[in-house]
């Protein structure tokens, strides 16, 4: 199943998505990178403090974190819902 989510995440790279995980959390953001076991999204919310991944790079000022592909229970394009 995670191979299927890997392919979907690769297809949606650079787009706004809504990801549900096994813990019931909902992650909304732009897919920035996909590795063999994680998808990295840039949150559409500013974190309370600190920087994202890449000090002055793409994640500057926004949360930029990874979600294990094995923990994903659903993924959908979210671009039309938020822009």
């Amino acid at each position: 199943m995670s191979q299927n989510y890997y392919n979907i995440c690769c297809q949606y790279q650079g787009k706004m998505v809504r990801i549900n995980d096994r813990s019931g959390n909902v992650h909304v953001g732009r897919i920035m990178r996909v590795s063999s076991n994680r998808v990295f999204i840039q949150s559409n919310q500013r974190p309370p403090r600190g920087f994202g991944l890449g000090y002055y790079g793409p994640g500057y000022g926004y949360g930029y974190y990874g979600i294990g592909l094995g923990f994903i229970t659903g993924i959908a394009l979210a671009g039309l819902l938020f822009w």
Side-chain angles (χ1 to χ4, degrees):
M1 188 62 139
S2 59
Q3 180 65 34
N4 186 31
Y5 286 129
Y6 173 81
N7 293 333
I8 292 169
C9 290
C10 287
Q11 180 183 357
Y12 291 167
Q13 191 165 355
K15 296 183 173 139
M16 290 293 291
V17 295
R18 178 181 172 154
I19 297 174
N20 299 323
D21 69 18
R22 287 185 185 173
S23 300
N25 299 318
V26 177
H27 307 273
V28 179
R30 185 175 313 278
I31 294 180
M32 301 304 287
R33 186 169 75 92
V34 182
S35 72
S36 61
N37 60 355
R38 289 191 176 273
V39 57
F40 294 89
I41 67 170
Q42 181 180 22
S43 174
N44 62 351
Q45 300 287 325
R46 284 189 179 268
R49 64 184 188 282
F51 301 99
L53 184 68
Y55 190 63
Y56 285 103
Y60 178 72
Y62 290 91
Y64 188 19
Y65 59 95
I67 303 167
L69 289 172
F71 291 100
I72 296 174
T73 59
I75 185 168
L77 281 174
L80 297 176
L81 301 174
F82 296 98
W83 299 106

